[in-house]
Short mmCIF file of all heavy atoms in Angstrom, two decimals:
data_model
loop_
_atom_site.label_atom_id
_atom_site.label_comp_id
_atom_site.label_asym_id
_atom_site.label_seq_id
_atom_site.Cartn_x
_atom_site.Cartn_y
_atom_site.Cartn_z
N ALA A 1 12.73 41.16 -2.46
CA ALA A 1 13.52 40.17 -3.21
C ALA A 1 14.99 40.57 -3.26
O ALA A 1 15.88 39.72 -3.14
CB ALA A 1 12.96 40.02 -4.62
N TRP A 2 15.26 41.86 -3.44
CA TRP A 2 16.65 42.32 -3.46
C TRP A 2 17.32 42.09 -2.11
O TRP A 2 18.45 41.59 -2.04
CB TRP A 2 16.70 43.80 -3.83
CG TRP A 2 18.10 44.33 -3.80
CD1 TRP A 2 19.10 44.12 -4.70
CD2 TRP A 2 18.66 45.15 -2.77
NE1 TRP A 2 20.26 44.75 -4.30
CE2 TRP A 2 20.02 45.40 -3.11
CE3 TRP A 2 18.17 45.69 -1.60
CZ2 TRP A 2 20.86 46.16 -2.33
CZ3 TRP A 2 19.02 46.47 -0.83
CH2 TRP A 2 20.34 46.69 -1.19
N VAL A 3 16.61 42.45 -1.01
CA VAL A 3 17.17 42.23 0.33
C VAL A 3 17.41 40.74 0.56
O VAL A 3 18.46 40.33 1.07
CB VAL A 3 16.26 42.83 1.43
CG1 VAL A 3 16.71 42.41 2.82
CG2 VAL A 3 16.20 44.34 1.31
N GLN A 4 16.46 39.90 0.13
CA GLN A 4 16.61 38.44 0.30
C GLN A 4 17.79 37.93 -0.51
O GLN A 4 18.47 37.00 -0.10
CB GLN A 4 15.32 37.74 -0.11
CG GLN A 4 15.32 36.25 0.17
CD GLN A 4 15.42 35.92 1.65
OE1 GLN A 4 14.85 36.58 2.48
NE2 GLN A 4 16.16 34.88 1.97
N SER A 5 18.08 38.54 -1.66
CA SER A 5 19.19 38.09 -2.50
C SER A 5 20.55 38.34 -1.84
O SER A 5 21.54 37.72 -2.21
CB SER A 5 19.15 38.78 -3.86
OG SER A 5 19.55 40.13 -3.75
N LEU A 6 20.57 39.24 -0.86
CA LEU A 6 21.81 39.53 -0.15
C LEU A 6 22.18 38.40 0.80
O LEU A 6 23.30 38.34 1.30
CB LEU A 6 21.70 40.85 0.62
CG LEU A 6 21.42 42.08 -0.25
CD1 LEU A 6 21.21 43.31 0.63
CD2 LEU A 6 22.53 42.31 -1.26
N GLY A 7 21.23 37.51 1.07
CA GLY A 7 21.49 36.32 1.87
C GLY A 7 21.02 36.44 3.29
O GLY A 7 20.99 37.52 3.88
N GLY A 8 20.64 35.30 3.83
CA GLY A 8 20.22 35.22 5.22
C GLY A 8 18.81 35.70 5.46
O GLY A 8 18.19 36.34 4.62
N GLY A 9 18.31 35.33 6.61
CA GLY A 9 16.98 35.77 7.01
C GLY A 9 15.87 34.95 6.41
O GLY A 9 16.05 34.27 5.40
N PRO A 10 14.71 35.00 7.03
CA PRO A 10 13.58 34.23 6.51
C PRO A 10 13.00 34.88 5.26
O PRO A 10 13.16 36.07 5.02
CB PRO A 10 12.57 34.29 7.66
CG PRO A 10 12.93 35.51 8.43
CD PRO A 10 14.40 35.69 8.26
N THR A 11 12.33 34.08 4.46
CA THR A 11 11.68 34.59 3.25
C THR A 11 10.31 35.14 3.60
O THR A 11 9.75 34.84 4.66
CB THR A 11 11.53 33.47 2.20
OG1 THR A 11 10.73 32.43 2.77
CG2 THR A 11 12.89 32.92 1.79
N VAL A 12 9.75 35.91 2.69
CA VAL A 12 8.40 36.43 2.87
C VAL A 12 7.44 35.23 2.79
O VAL A 12 7.53 34.43 1.85
CB VAL A 12 8.05 37.47 1.78
CG1 VAL A 12 6.61 37.91 1.88
CG2 VAL A 12 8.99 38.66 1.86
N PRO A 13 6.56 35.08 3.77
CA PRO A 13 5.66 33.93 3.74
C PRO A 13 4.68 34.01 2.58
O PRO A 13 4.24 35.09 2.20
CB PRO A 13 4.93 34.01 5.09
CG PRO A 13 5.05 35.43 5.50
CD PRO A 13 6.33 35.94 4.92
N ASP A 14 4.37 32.84 2.01
CA ASP A 14 3.40 32.83 0.92
C ASP A 14 1.98 32.71 1.49
O ASP A 14 1.80 32.61 2.70
CB ASP A 14 3.71 31.71 -0.08
CG ASP A 14 3.67 30.32 0.56
OD1 ASP A 14 2.98 30.14 1.59
OD2 ASP A 14 4.33 29.41 0.03
N ALA A 15 1.00 32.74 0.61
CA ALA A 15 -0.40 32.74 1.03
C ALA A 15 -0.77 31.52 1.87
O ALA A 15 -1.56 31.61 2.81
CB ALA A 15 -1.31 32.85 -0.19
N SER A 16 -0.18 30.36 1.56
CA SER A 16 -0.52 29.14 2.32
C SER A 16 0.01 29.22 3.76
O SER A 16 -0.56 28.63 4.66
CB SER A 16 0.03 27.90 1.62
OG SER A 16 1.45 27.90 1.65
N GLN A 17 1.11 29.96 3.97
CA GLN A 17 1.67 30.07 5.31
C GLN A 17 0.85 30.98 6.22
O GLN A 17 0.93 30.86 7.43
CB GLN A 17 3.11 30.58 5.25
CG GLN A 17 4.09 29.57 4.69
CD GLN A 17 5.47 30.15 4.57
OE1 GLN A 17 5.70 31.02 3.72
NE2 GLN A 17 6.38 29.69 5.41
N VAL A 18 0.11 31.90 5.64
CA VAL A 18 -0.68 32.83 6.46
C VAL A 18 -2.17 32.60 6.35
O VAL A 18 -2.97 33.32 6.95
CB VAL A 18 -0.35 34.30 6.09
CG1 VAL A 18 1.10 34.60 6.37
CG2 VAL A 18 -0.70 34.61 4.65
N SER A 19 -2.57 31.57 5.61
CA SER A 19 -3.99 31.27 5.42
C SER A 19 -4.63 30.82 6.73
O SER A 19 -4.07 30.00 7.46
CB SER A 19 -4.15 30.17 4.37
OG SER A 19 -5.49 29.73 4.34
N ALA A 20 -5.80 31.34 7.01
CA ALA A 20 -6.52 30.99 8.23
C ALA A 20 -7.53 29.87 7.98
O ALA A 20 -8.35 29.58 8.83
CB ALA A 20 -7.22 32.21 8.80
N GLY A 21 -7.46 29.23 6.82
CA GLY A 21 -8.43 28.21 6.44
C GLY A 21 -8.53 27.06 7.43
O GLY A 21 -9.63 26.68 7.84
N SER A 22 -7.43 26.49 7.84
CA SER A 22 -7.45 25.34 8.76
C SER A 22 -7.03 25.74 10.17
O SER A 22 -6.63 24.90 10.96
CB SER A 22 -6.51 24.26 8.24
OG SER A 22 -5.18 24.74 8.24
N ALA A 23 -7.14 27.03 10.47
CA ALA A 23 -6.66 27.53 11.76
C ALA A 23 -7.68 27.30 12.86
O ALA A 23 -8.88 27.28 12.63
CB ALA A 23 -6.34 29.01 11.65
N ASP A 24 -7.17 27.15 14.07
CA ASP A 24 -7.97 26.98 15.28
C ASP A 24 -7.89 28.28 16.08
O ASP A 24 -6.89 28.53 16.76
CB ASP A 24 -7.42 25.80 16.08
CG ASP A 24 -8.19 25.52 17.36
OD1 ASP A 24 -9.14 26.27 17.67
OD2 ASP A 24 -7.84 24.54 18.04
N THR A 25 -8.94 29.11 16.00
CA THR A 25 -8.88 30.41 16.67
C THR A 25 -8.86 30.28 18.19
O THR A 25 -8.28 31.13 18.86
CB THR A 25 -10.06 31.32 16.24
OG1 THR A 25 -11.28 30.64 16.49
CG2 THR A 25 -9.97 31.69 14.78
N ALA A 26 -9.45 29.22 18.72
CA ALA A 26 -9.42 29.03 20.18
C ALA A 26 -7.99 28.76 20.65
O ALA A 26 -7.54 29.34 21.64
CB ALA A 26 -10.34 27.88 20.59
N LEU A 27 -7.27 27.92 19.93
CA LEU A 27 -5.86 27.68 20.26
C LEU A 27 -5.05 28.94 20.01
O LEU A 27 -4.14 29.28 20.78
CB LEU A 27 -5.29 26.51 19.44
CG LEU A 27 -3.81 26.21 19.66
CD1 LEU A 27 -3.52 25.88 21.13
CD2 LEU A 27 -3.35 25.09 18.74
N GLY A 28 -5.40 29.68 18.95
CA GLY A 28 -4.73 30.94 18.66
C GLY A 28 -4.89 31.93 19.80
O GLY A 28 -3.95 32.66 20.14
N GLU A 29 -6.06 31.96 20.42
CA GLU A 29 -6.28 32.85 21.56
C GLU A 29 -5.39 32.46 22.74
O GLU A 29 -4.79 33.32 23.39
CB GLU A 29 -7.74 32.83 21.99
CG GLU A 29 -8.02 33.72 23.18
CD GLU A 29 -9.48 33.71 23.60
OE1 GLU A 29 -10.26 32.87 23.12
OE2 GLU A 29 -9.85 34.56 24.44
N VAL A 30 -5.30 31.16 23.01
CA VAL A 30 -4.45 30.68 24.10
C VAL A 30 -2.99 31.03 23.82
O VAL A 30 -2.28 31.55 24.71
CB VAL A 30 -4.62 29.15 24.29
CG1 VAL A 30 -3.58 28.59 25.25
CG2 VAL A 30 -6.02 28.82 24.75
N LEU A 31 -2.54 30.79 22.61
CA LEU A 31 -1.15 31.10 22.25
C LEU A 31 -0.88 32.60 22.28
O LEU A 31 0.17 33.04 22.73
CB LEU A 31 -0.83 30.53 20.86
CG LEU A 31 -0.80 29.00 20.76
CD1 LEU A 31 -0.79 28.55 19.31
CD2 LEU A 31 0.40 28.45 21.52
#
């Protein structure tokens, strides 16, 4: 949070951004 307060750069992803609930592992393998 301190580093983010200095400005710039992406934020730490939240749980919904990394959730594998609706993910397609077959497409993930291709990618």
